Amino acid sequence: MTDWQDNRVFWDEALKTIQHQVSEQEYVMWFQQIAYAGSDQDRISVTVPSSFYRDQVKQRYLDLIQSTLQDLSGRNLQIEFNIVKTEMVAPGERPTDRASSETDRGKARNGRPQSQEAAKAIPPAPGLNSEYTFQNFVVGDNNRFAANAAMAIAKNPGTTYNPCLIYGGVGLGKTHLLQSIGNAVWLNNEGTGKIVYVTAEDFTNEFIRSIQENRTHLFKNKYRNADVLLIDDIHFLQKKNETQEELFHTFNALFDAKKQMIFTSDRPVSEIKDITERLQNRFTRGLTVDLQPPQMETAVAILKKKAEKQGVYVSDEVINLICQKITTNVRDLEAALTRIIAYAELVNKEVSLDVAQRQLKDFFSSPMQNNITVDIIQRVVADYFNLSPNELKGKKRTRQVAFPRQMAMYISREVTEASMTDVGLEFGGRDHTTVMHACQRISSRMRTDPTIEDIIQTLIRRIREEGSRA
Ligand code: ADP
Ligand code: MG
């Protein structure tokens, strides 16, 4: 085929046009895998990495591609697909950096169902939740870098960003993003490959059991033969020395074999205590990304998507209300929306602002949000400062103890219903004026020292997490 230069220009232009018409994820997933190969007067030849891609791209986008080319060139150009196993686009190379609100713009176009089809053609990845996909993940300022990194890794696993560590507080999408990588790699490989997802807790328990039952070789086989290893919530490995040792060796084996590993943690690795330095080093050897709570716009986009998925109409007013009231994390946002929808369905009413307001009020006083006790606060704060809860309750007044104690008192007043007197009693029978003094002192220090506020936020996040487990 002689290279017909004009057609190459049309092809490049067509891609640019299409990039603005489909979501970023779709573009990365499908269009970045297509490479221009040559053309003649009536035909453009392109390559795709597999027959799966060819079929999917044809089915989903051939009309769009041809009509775009027609608009640009005024000719009816045919597309010829050839299968060539190629290197995919380099990690980090991304077509656009569009805002979250636009990421799913392409969805309704032509009424074509999209990502779902691919999932149907290929059985779901074993051990992964098939809802946890990039398509279902709303990108905003709070998670853009992490999401982009995850997409780049999914495109080209085991190369530049290995390992990747995703950290962030509870309910901010760590598990969702982690499994999205697994699901995307699975799809990219037409449902082949060993994608192993495990929580650090299950990894630990499985390891212990394998020792008890004398079959550590099977355990090692399972993890050291993974193509992609996803380990969730590695902060759980604190103090689990033998499991850490085992993971260290698993890590080395996979790293040498250029297999992708992704970990999540609820805090930066440097803040995970009682974890060996060499394992810490491994976790942070590649790329570390963090997730923050979503701002208003992103929260709204997430809830809209969620309502849409449930096939329920929820007005903007109601969604805005939820997002104004709930600023902790996405899990709480979703829980509030679910509750409101469930109530509306139960009483057969539409989801009015009134219904929402009343349900939200109950939501805040429901046990789910409120099983945080002073006891939990003492445990979490003590742990953070490397003290024992008894030291917080005890008599010592050295700076090392007094400051954490004041913080714990302050937080107790902030997140529980306990009175000053109650809090005093919980802290070794201290007087309520001591509690008052502690709260004033922390408030005033927070105003002048932003790191104090950071610490308090971190602690409250952990306390909530503990509370939701209790
Ligand atoms: P984590 O593992 O950080 O505690 P999860 O991944 O379990 O949090 O997320 C909690 C819930 O919030 C899940 O239902 C997840 O799908 C949803 N979620 C979190 N972030 C997003 C996002 N950016 N877009 C859509 N859903 C999200
Ligand atoms: Mg999780």
Side-chain angles (χ1 to χ4, degrees):
M1 186 183 285
T2 53
D3 203 1
W4 189 264
Q5 274 305 325
D6 287 348
N7 286 347
R8 160 139 226 173
V9 174
F10 293 136
W11 173 258
D12 290 344
E13 275 310 306
L15 279 192
K16 279 187 209 151
T17 308
I18 288 169
Q19 201 177 323
H20 293 289
Q21 292 177 355
V22 301
S23 74
E24 184 179 334
Q25 283 96 335
E26 284 176 84
Y27 190 83
V28 170
M29 182 93 164
W30 303 111
F31 289 91
Q32 286 201 342
Q33 320 302 336
I34 310 175
Y36 176 87
S39 63
D40 61 23
Q41 198 160 357
D42 311 308
R43 196 165 35 144
I44 292 180
S45 164
V46 297
T47 61
V48 285
S50 68
S51 54
F52 168 71
Y53 270 101
R54 179 196 59 206
D55 298 345
Q56 291 292 328
V57 169
K58 273 184 158 176
Q59 190 183 337
R60 291 153 187 264
Y61 301 115
L62 190 59
D63 288 352
L64 175 66
I65 296 171
Q66 284 187 321
S67 62
T68 308
L69 283 167
Q70 169 104 45
D71 289 347
L72 290 165
S73 68
R75 278 181 289 137
N76 185 12
L77 291 163
Q78 296 303 305
I79 310 286
E80 181 186 86
F81 288 89
N82 296 298
I83 295 160
V84 174
K85 291 251 173 226
T86 47
E87 280 287 310
M88 294 185 185
V89 181
E93 239 178 69
R94 292 173 345 89
T96 51
D97 201 11
R98 283 180 286 141
S100 60
S101 55
E102 296 176 45
T103 49
D104 53 1
R105 215 210 277 160
K107 209 162 143 202
R109 194 174 28 76
N110 296 348
R112 265 191 306 231
Q114 296 182 346
S115 57
Q116 300 307 333
E117 277 171 29
K120 264 182 217 141
I122 296 176
L128 295 181
N129 180 339
S130 58
E131 290 294 309
Y132 286 159
T133 60
F134 290 129
Q135 287 79 11
N136 290 341
F137 193 81
V138 175
V139 179
D141 290 339
N142 61 313
N143 60 25
R144 179 168 286 117
F145 183 55
N148 287 343
M151 284 189 261
I153 287 167
K155 234 186 308 157
N156 213 350
T159 54
T160 322
Y161 304 142
N162 200 20
C164 174
L165 177 82
I166 303 169
Y167 77 87
V170 63
L172 294 182
K174 298 184 295 294
T175 300
H176 187 139
L177 211 48
L178 182 68
Q179 295 209 7
S180 297
I181 299 174
N183 278 318
V185 174
W186 177 257
L187 274 187
N188 287 348
N189 288 299
E190 300 177 45
T192 60
K194 278 190 65 178
I195 293 162
V196 180
Y197 167 84
V198 69
T199 61
E201 185 169 5
D202 286 346
F203 183 85
T204 305
N205 293 336
E206 235 180 88
F207 178 57
I208 294 169
R209 223 176 309 126
S210 81
I211 296 174
Q212 288 164 346
E213 295 171 5
N214 241 329
R215 38 179 192 76
T216 47
H217 59 286
L218 291 179
F219 179 89
K220 289 186 207 299
N221 260 347
K222 171 174 172 188
Y223 289 102
R224 295 186 193 180
N225 288 326
D227 294 312
V228 175
L229 178 61
L230 312 167
I231 302 190
D232 212 351
D233 296 329
I234 54 159
H235 48 270
F236 183 85
L237 296 171
Q238 278 192 102
K239 299 196 174 86
K240 312 281 185 311
N241 297 342
E242 280 176 70
T243 311
Q244 286 179 29
E245 170 87 12
E246 177 58 27
L247 181 56
F248 175 75
H249 293 296
T250 306
F251 184 105
N252 291 343
L254 291 176
F255 189 82
D256 289 344
K258 295 201 172 12
K259 303 295 187 181
Q260 181 70 48
M261 288 170 277
I262 305 116
F263 304 101
T264 73
S265 163
D266 71 354
R267 64 202 83 158
V269 168
S270 59
E271 279 183 32
I272 308 179
K273 278 178 296 161
D274 297 305
I275 195 152
T276 60
E277 210 175 306
R278 58 183 195 171
L279 195 53
Q280 273 195 3
N281 285 339
R282 295 303 184 284
F283 285 146
T284 51
R285 181 183 267 186
L287 180 71
T288 299
V289 295
D290 72 326
L291 295 170
Q292 297 293 327
Q295 301 283 309
M296 188 72 184
E297 291 83 352
T298 310
V300 166
I302 291 171
L303 287 192
K304 281 192 171 164
K305 189 153 200 158
K306 171 103 179 160
E308 193 182 298
K309 266 192 98 90
Q310 293 192 9
V312 183
Y313 172 75
V314 183
S315 68
D316 287 358
E317 263 182 329
V318 168
I319 288 191
N320 286 336
L321 177 75
I322 299 172
C323 296
Q324 272 156 14
K325 295 274 180 203
I326 297 183
T327 52
T328 44
N329 65 56
V330 182
R331 185 172 300 154
D332 290 349
L333 281 166
E334 286 188 344
L337 178 69
T338 303
R339 180 184 177 125
I340 290 167
I341 292 175
Y343 178 81
E345 280 175 354
L346 193 72
V347 299
N348 218 352
K349 277 190 189 164
E350 68 173 295
V351 188
S352 66
L353 197 58
D354 205 43
V355 164
Q357 245 147 2
R358 225 163 326 114
Q359 287 301 308
L360 278 177
K361 207 176 260 165
D362 289 351
F363 184 76
F364 281 113
S365 57
S366 74
M368 200 199 93
Q369 291 271 308
N370 241 351
N371 50 5
I372 294 171
T373 58
V374 175
D375 192 55
I376 293 177
I377 296 168
Q378 288 170 338
R379 262 190 287 127
V380 172
V381 174
D383 182 66
Y384 185 86
F385 289 101
N386 239 332
L387 300 167
S388 73
N390 277 337
E391 284 176 292
L392 286 186
K393 291 185 255 183
K395 296 264 172 282
K396 240 200 272 172
R397 294 221 246 147
T398 55
R399 227 191 140 266
Q400 276 104 322
V401 188
F403 176 59
R405 184 184 290 136
Q406 288 175 341
M407 277 205 167
M409 287 178 172
Y410 172 85
I411 294 172
S412 299
R413 285 288 294 153
E414 286 289 300
V415 303
T416 74
E417 301 283 314
S419 65
M420 298 269 187
T421 310
D422 296 337
V423 174
L425 286 174
E426 300 261 11
F427 282 82
R430 287 180 158 79
D431 193 75
H432 77 276
T433 51
T434 309
V435 180
M436 201 163 68
H437 173 72
C439 294
Q440 283 165 352
R441 186 146 170 74
I442 296 294
S443 308
S444 74
R445 287 196 59 179
M446 260 164 73
R447 275 193 290 276
T448 51
D449 184 351
T451 57
I452 305 244
E453 176 148 25
D454 282 350
I455 296 174
I456 299 255
Q457 288 307 327
T458 305
L459 287 169
I460 290 180
R461 233 188 290 127
R462 279 190 211 166
I463 288 161
R464 288 228 162 90
E465 189 177 18
E466 285 293 316
S468 64
R469 278 206 210 106

